[in-house]
Amino acid sequence: MTSSLRPHGDRKPSSSSDQQTQQAQPARQPPRTPSGRQRDAFFDNAKYLAIVLVGVGHAWGQILDGNRTVETLYRVLYTFHMPAFIIISGYFSRSFDLSPKRVKRLITGVAVPYLVFEIAYTLHRRVSEDPQADFSLLDPTYLLWFLCALFVWRLTTPIWQTVRWPLPIALVIAALASVTPTIDNDLNMQRVLQFLPCFVLGLLLRPEHFHLVRRRAVRIWSVPVVAAALVIGWWSVPRMETGWFYRNAAVQDTGGPWWSGPVLTLALFGCSVVLSVCFFAWVPGRRMWFTALGAGTIYGYLLHGFLVKEGSYAGWFQHSFLDEPLGEIGLTVLGAAVITLLCTKPVQRVLRYVVEPRMDWAFKRDPGDSARARDRRDEDAGGTRTTPAGASAPSGGGEKVSV
């Protein structure tokens, strides 16, 4: 199997003549972010595959009644698909601080989309099911809990990067939440606290950790591990409440003894980490046909819920065809296809103004950016500008300064 960590995988070095031919041809550069940094294909692939599993899981959730096979797959999927997505979110939140630039991005990329889609989901429910449905900005509708959680987690990032034992502390908080029924539904705090260890784990990870889980030995061992998870999932269906996999309630609300809360919290976290490792081990590290879709996963996440909810309101999932294996497979394929379409560039272009708004008008100008802009104008007025490499660059007096 070709390793994505080597320049040429497992291929032999090319001959000198081949190297000269390759040098003569312009190299294809990976896509770059607006800041000029190259995107990592592995993480884009992981985000896309994780969001596809989220969509498939929501589709399966509508046909669980009396279907032990689907519920087994559903439980295994819910053990790791959101934890894996949250681990990635934590990994990319490592640089978060309370600087104006980061806070602005948190507001425009998380808080504003939450407000917009909370209103949109409520209006959709009023039209399709309940004309009297209330607006509630503190009680997230359906999948919007993740935006609330991400907002809280990122605000607390400086704390986790300061304390000495961040992961054990996060696990203790999650365990305490699991035995605290007085935590109400405001901002879905049970999920915020019970999924917190996954986010903190992502903050602690480094690139070398992802390199370790993508080794050939880990890929091989992941096969029997996933098989064992399926067996345990099948065994658990008649013996364990599915609601535990949502992490949205205290143990007292399920009728279990208080001590089972911390036990299940730690057990689910361990299982989530193990299955997430198996997932990351099989994520391709090279560019694939779906790699570019990894940049649009938030669109697929926020939009597919309208289709799932509409299907629930209209009774689409009550069709007897979905009780047959062919219908279940068809629903799975349809869920993956819909998520894929919603992550595409045309959808991003149409909805970027609500999902990723700039909103420069709503924020004060950063004094640091203003000072850098003045320095650049002074350099331009002098006729030269120093490049990062120390070389002289042509005057750019007519170039607009981005702030």
Side-chain angles (χ1 to χ4, degrees):
M1 182 174 294
T2 303
S3 171
S4 61
L5 305 180
R6 304 176 188 172
H8 304 287
D10 294 329
R11 294 175 296 172
K12 295 180 179 179
S14 56
S15 63
S16 59
S17 60
D18 291 339
Q19 293 176 353
Q20 292 174 358
T21 302
Q22 292 174 359
Q23 291 174 358
Q25 298 175 349
R28 296 180 62 185
Q29 296 293 333
R32 293 178 178 270
T33 63
S35 62
R37 294 175 297 177
Q38 292 183 358
R39 297 188 66 92
D40 190 320
F42 168 78
F43 288 108
D44 277 339
N45 293 339
K47 289 192 293 182
Y48 167 75
L49 294 174
I51 208 65
V52 166
L53 294 178
V54 169
V56 170
H58 285 158
W60 286 348
Q62 311 305 313
I63 58 172
L64 291 181
D65 293 342
N67 195 327
R68 189 169 182 177
T69 300
V70 173
E71 187 159 356
T72 297
L73 296 173
Y74 182 82
R75 291 186 174 205
V76 173
L77 183 61
Y78 264 70
T79 302
F80 78 91
H81 76 323
M82 280 310 297
F85 204 80
I86 293 169
I87 288 171
I88 296 174
S89 299
Y91 179 78
F92 282 102
S93 298
R94 293 173 301 158
S95 61
F96 182 84
D97 52 31
L98 296 178
S99 65
K101 178 180 178 181
R102 305 291 185 188
V103 172
K104 174 186 174 182
R105 186 71 185 101
L106 181 64
I107 293 173
T108 59
V110 180
V112 171
Y114 169 73
L115 295 175
V116 170
F117 279 87
E118 181 61 43
I119 295 172
Y121 271 100
T122 303
L123 291 175
H124 175 243
R125 184 181 179 186
R126 284 189 169 191
V127 171
S128 299
E129 185 197 37
D130 181 9
Q132 304 302 320
D134 294 330
F135 289 95
S136 178
L137 298 182
L138 295 181
D139 186 9
T141 299
Y142 196 31
L143 47 71
L144 295 180
W145 70 268
F146 177 71
L147 294 185
C148 290
L150 187 59
F151 189 87
V152 174
W153 293 333
R154 281 191 173 164
L155 280 180
T156 61
T157 293
I159 297 176
W160 305 116
Q161 293 178 330
T162 302
V163 298
R164 181 169 294 179
W165 303 290
L167 187 56
I169 293 174
L171 285 169
V172 169
I173 292 174
L176 291 175
S178 71
V179 294
T180 310
T182 54
I183 297 177
D184 56 25
N185 289 328
D186 287 351
L187 300 182
N188 214 320
M189 286 303 297
Q190 278 287 358
R191 272 178 167 163
V192 173
L193 298 178
Q194 292 195 37
F195 276 112
L196 175 63
C198 298
F199 182 81
V200 173
L201 175 61
L203 290 174
L204 300 176
L205 295 179
R206 296 295 179 266
E208 54 268 24
H209 297 129
F210 288 98
H211 295 169
L212 289 174
V213 303
R214 292 159 61 193
R215 295 180 299 174
R216 181 181 178 86
V218 180
R219 291 192 183 101
I220 294 173
W221 277 105
S222 67
V223 176
V225 169
V226 172
L230 291 170
V231 172
I232 296 173
W234 178 273
W235 172 87
S236 73
V237 170
R239 297 174 175 85
M240 183 178 177
E241 291 288 337
T242 304
W244 266 109
F245 295 88
Y246 303 143
R247 280 97 151 176
N248 64 351
V251 65
Q252 291 90 334
D253 296 328
T254 65
W258 71 267
W259 55 264
S260 62
V263 172
L264 283 173
T265 297
L266 296 175
L268 281 174
F269 176 74
C271 293
S272 298
V273 171
V274 170
L275 290 180
S276 294
V277 167
C278 296
F279 169 72
F280 289 131
W282 283 97
V283 171
R286 62 186 184 279
R287 289 194 59 78
M288 309 290 288
W289 64 268
F290 53 78
T291 301
L293 301 178
T297 52
I298 187 63
Y299 294 83
Y301 183 81
L302 293 174
L303 294 173
H304 84 278
F306 288 106
L307 296 176
V308 177
K309 282 297 185 181
E310 182 61 32
S312 178
Y313 299 150
W316 297 348
F317 301 105
Q318 304 302 318
H319 199 286
S320 59
F321 175 68
L322 296 178
D323 295 330
E324 303 173 3
L326 187 60
E328 296 160 0
I329 295 173
L331 182 63
T332 302
V333 174
L334 180 61
V338 167
I339 280 285
T340 299
L341 290 175
L342 294 177
C343 293
T344 56
K345 290 292 184 182
V347 176
Q348 294 180 43
R349 283 194 293 268
V350 172
L351 294 177
R352 180 168 284 123
Y353 69 98
V354 293
V355 178
E356 298 178 288
R358 292 184 60 86
M359 296 181 60
D360 293 333
W361 54 269
F363 300 96
K364 297 178 180 179
R365 179 170 295 186
D366 186 354
D369 288 341
S370 300
R372 286 188 288 273
R374 287 194 300 270
D375 291 341
R376 178 172 293 184
R377 285 196 298 270
D378 292 342
E379 293 172 356
D380 291 344
T384 60
R385 185 171 60 207
T386 304
T387 66
S392 177
S395 175
E399 182 181 358
K400 294 182 179 180
V401 179
S402 177
V403 295

